[in-house]
Amino acid sequence: MRTALLISLALLASTANAANEPQLLGRTTEQVLSAAKASDWRDAALENTLYLDLPQGRVVMELAPAFAPAHAEAIKTLAERQAFDGSFIGRMQENYVVQWGQREGTEIADNKPLPVELFAAPAPSTHFAALADGDLYAPQVGFADGFPSARDADGKRAWLTHCYSMLGVGRGDAANSSTGGELYVVIGHAPRHLDKNVVVVGRVLAGMPLLGSLPRGSGPLGFYSEAEAKAPITRIRRALDVPAAERTHVQVLRTDTPLWQAYVDSRRTRREPWFVDPVGRVELCNVLPPVRPRP
Amino acid sequence: MRTALLISLALLASTANAANEPQLLGRTTEQVLSAAKASDWRDAALENTLYLDLPQGRVVMELAPAFAPAHAEAIKTLAERQAFDGSFIGRMQENYVVQWGQREGTEIADNKPLPVELFAAPAPSTHFAALADGDLYAPQVGFADGFPSARDADGKRAWLTHCYSMLGVGRGDAANSSTGGELYVVIGHAPRHLDKNVVVVGRVLAGMPLLGSLPRGSGPLGFYSEAEAKAPITRIRRALDVPAAERTHVQVLRTDTPLWQAYVDSRRTRREPWFVDPVGRVELCNVLPPVRPRP
């Protein structure tokens, strides 16, 4: 009966579309993505893209300077100075984070504390695709130009959320102690209690399986003990500093389109025949924008 | 100011305790766990414990027959008949599940379809530690004798939730097609859309790092392609079938105690000095009961 009701609603929604529009609502994820046009995808911003090259392959990260401009800039500068090259992944904690730091001796001499960028005033140019399903941790959640994020009820403060694959900046006990030289990526269930406690600066768009399958550190908090081989980092480069032929181009599904709303709808209500209960709701970190190689 | 208010509330709560009781509320997680007595922990039920032995080590799983009695029984029978021994892990999908099946030819000849155990009426003897923080996917959530679970608003139906580390039973498109011969474990962000769509039957209590660090399958849905080495399974045994000296004994923090409530409180409001925003809420899958080796 519930399925029948959902089908009726879907049909209503479809009928409301102009006759020559693709009927996107009420479809499965596969159907929605098949209907995506080239303009429904965006290239990852080249000027905000970093490559973390491991012996096993490449991890592609996109920074979100709108949320943490000083941190994004500091990380780009460190990458430009090759401060992470030849360093190691020092921490891998099951269901939590993988973390690495810059090579010893590469600290920037005139280093001043970065501003504490735990949240930001949303720029008027930012498109915020609010998620109607609610959230346990924040008054509003959705996608800010494609990045999972939250907002205060009045929308005056916005922050990136600790979903799987998000890139954060490690710090000590002092809130202003992050330099950009210590980075982490969420590898498991979203540790949303970290939101607004530590700077989130971007998202890993490709290569998560390389990070996720690293051996776990056996020390406290997943730090590798000295007896264990830490995973080496070949280099971290700004995409702009890499010869064009050696770049990895990926695209992210845009979140400011009708197709995005249909995608969310297809994740919220599961119409694949396997499902016996189509669910009817979706949580922020379960509907991250899909990524694909640039065609 | 927010911190000051929280400290006041914590002090009030502590004051309300009897003078000779440990003051458990308003503490950090470390303080709460240090205050735990032997009686705050329970042994994993030996009769519901299975060992998944891999060349890398042992994964300890505890079944929850209260939620899926026929499936738990079928899995125990398959383990008793050594149906998983020498089989392989066939699927490892990043941020989703690891999955394996019984060895070919070990199907139980008189196999009848198992009942569809997507939810159950809660037994009166079950203790349900409701979580006050709410949930996006279900009217009520909490811990049923230690297992993360949800309930309808009227409490008539209960089901285990797809949190990280939960053990489920694979099936085909037909809801009654699960036999217990295909099992999966959640390795990433909780795929709660699977709740009430597929049978959940228990929880991995130890060994998750062994599963989480397996290489990801490159085929669709994370199935290993033929060119890749699937990870071998040495054996799956009921703990009861293993000589006493070879058993792995673990304990789980009880969820029917005042100490459990203090533990949840310490996860909800983060009092460690590192936090600048103590959060004030916690989501079901972020507060799974801690596990330790039996002292």
Side-chain angles (χ1 to χ4, degrees), chain A residues 266-287:
Chain A
S266 78
R267 303 311 279 171
R268 178 185 292 128
T269 304
R270 301 290 183 132
R271 301 177 180 91
E272 295 84 359
W274 183 87
F275 282 86
V276 295
D277 180 334
V279 191
R281 63 204 74 85
V282 70
E283 188 246 315
L284 179 72
C285 297
N286 268 325
V287 64

Side-chain angles (χ1 to χ4, degrees), chain B residues 216-260:
Chain B
R216 277 50 181 165
S218 63
L221 304 177
F223 284 95
Y224 290 108
S225 66
E226 290 190 33
E228 294 163 318
K230 300 177 185 180
I233 290 173
T234 309
R235 68 182 77 82
I236 293 186
R237 286 283 183 279
R238 306 189 312 173
L240 286 174
D241 296 332
V242 170
E246 295 169 24
R247 292 177 190 156
T248 303
H249 295 285
V250 297
Q251 295 190 317
V252 188
L253 197 66
R254 284 174 53 176
T255 55
D256 58 349
T257 60
L259 189 115
W260 171 254

Side-chain angles (χ1 to χ4, degrees), chain A residues 46 51 58 60 238-250:
Chain A
L46 201 63
Y51 302 136
R58 175 170 283 177
V60 181
R238 305 189 313 174
L240 287 173
D241 296 332
V242 169
E246 294 169 25
R247 292 178 189 156
T248 302
H249 295 285
V250 298

Side-chain angles (χ1 to χ4, degrees), chain B residues 96-116:
Chain B
Y96 201 49
V97 298
V98 57
Q99 186 175 331
W100 66 88
Q102 69 192 103
R103 216 170 57 246
E104 267 186 60
T106 60
E107 293 76 15
I108 296 172
D110 57 349
N111 223 354
K112 289 174 194 158
L114 294 175
V116 179

Side-chain angles (χ1 to χ4, degrees), chain B residues 18-225:
Chain B
N20 59 346
E21 284 266 315
Q23 297 179 351
L24 294 172
L25 292 173
R27 302 301 180 103
T28 65
T29 300
E30 192 181 341
Q31 289 168 336
V32 171
L33 290 178
S34 304
K37 300 173 197 137
S39 58
D40 287 310
W41 296 87
R42 68 171 179 89
D43 290 343
L46 202 62
E47 69 277 16
N48 294 326
T49 297
L50 298 174
Y51 301 135
L52 162 60
D53 286 332
L54 305 174
Q56 305 93 309
R58 174 169 284 177
V59 176
V60 180
M61 309 181 282
E62 187 182 26
L63 300 174
F67 285 89
H71 283 76
E73 197 55 38
I75 295 165
K76 286 181 191 176
T77 301
L78 288 167
E80 198 183 358
R81 298 185 187 188
Q82 310 187 357
F84 296 100
D85 299 15
S87 187
F88 292 89
I89 291 175
R91 177 189 186 189
M92 179 58 171
Q93 187 172 0
E94 173 64 11
N95 192 35
Y96 201 49
V97 298
V98 57
Q99 186 175 331
W100 66 88
Q102 69 192 103
R103 216 170 57 246
E104 267 186 60
T106 60
E107 293 76 15
I108 296 172
D110 57 349
N111 223 354
K112 289 174 194 158
L114 294 175
V116 179
E117 297 175 317
L118 300 177
F119 44 79
S125 63
T126 300
H127 182 274
F128 183 63
L131 192 63
D133 304 70
D135 186 67
L136 231 65
Y137 286 92
Q140 295 186 68
V141 292
F143 295 87
D145 290 343
F147 290 93
S149 61
R151 293 186 170 196
D152 281 337
D154 61 10
K156 288 188 179 165
R157 301 191 310 173
W159 56 95
L160 295 175
T161 49
H162 277 85
C163 293
Y164 165 85
S165 77
M166 294 300 283
L167 174 70
V169 187
R171 66 164 173 84
D173 271 358
N176 72 346
S177 59
S178 53
T179 65
E182 194 73 31
L183 303 173
Y184 66 88
V185 172
V186 174
I187 60 149
H189 189 74
R192 294 284 308 280
H193 52 278
L194 299 179
D195 291 0
K196 285 190 292 166
N197 276 291
V198 59
V199 175
V200 186
V201 73
R203 180 187 170 202
V204 172
L205 297 181
M208 280 300 299
L210 300 176
L211 296 176
S213 56
L214 290 169
R216 277 50 181 165
S218 63
L221 304 177
F223 284 95
Y224 290 108
S225 66

Side-chain angles (χ1 to χ4, degrees), chain A residues 94-115:
Chain A
E94 174 63 12
N95 192 34
Y96 200 49
V97 297
V98 58
Q99 186 175 332
W100 66 89
Q102 67 193 102
R103 214 171 59 248
E104 268 186 59
T106 59
E107 293 76 16
I108 296 172
D110 57 349
N111 224 355
K112 290 173 195 158
L114 294 175

Side-chain angles (χ1 to χ4, degrees), chain A residues 132-283:
Chain A
D133 305 69
D135 186 68
L136 231 64
Y137 286 91
Q140 295 187 67
V141 291
F143 295 88
D145 288 344
F147 290 93
S149 61
R151 294 187 169 195
D152 281 338
D154 61 10
K156 288 188 180 165
R157 300 191 310 173
W159 56 94
L160 294 176
T161 49
H162 277 85
C163 292
Y164 164 83
S165 78
M166 295 301 282
L167 173 70
V169 187
R171 66 163 173 85
D173 271 0
N176 72 345
S177 59
S178 53
T179 65
E182 193 73 30
L183 302 174
Y184 66 88
V185 172
V186 174
I187 61 149
H189 189 75
R192 294 284 309 280
H193 52 278
L194 299 179
D195 291 0
K196 284 190 294 166
N197 276 290
V198 58
V199 175
V200 186
V201 73
R203 181 187 170 203
V204 172
L205 297 181
M208 280 301 297
L210 300 177
L211 295 175
S213 57
L214 289 170
R216 275 52 179 163
S218 62
L221 304 178
F223 283 94
Y224 290 108
S225 66
E226 290 189 33
E228 293 162 320
K230 300 176 184 181
I233 290 173
T234 308
R235 68 181 77 82
I236 294 185
R237 285 284 183 279
R238 305 189 313 174
L240 287 173
D241 296 332
V242 169
E246 294 169 25
R247 292 178 189 156
T248 302
H249 295 285
V250 298
Q251 294 191 319
V252 187
L253 197 65
R254 283 174 54 176
T255 55
D256 57 350
T257 60
L259 189 116
W260 171 255
Q261 293 302 328
Y263 177 79
V264 172
D265 167 72
S266 78
R267 303 311 279 171
R268 178 185 292 128
T269 304
R270 301 290 183 132
R271 301 177 180 91
E272 295 84 359
W274 183 87
F275 282 86
V276 295
D277 180 334
V279 191
R281 63 204 74 85
V282 70
E283 188 246 315

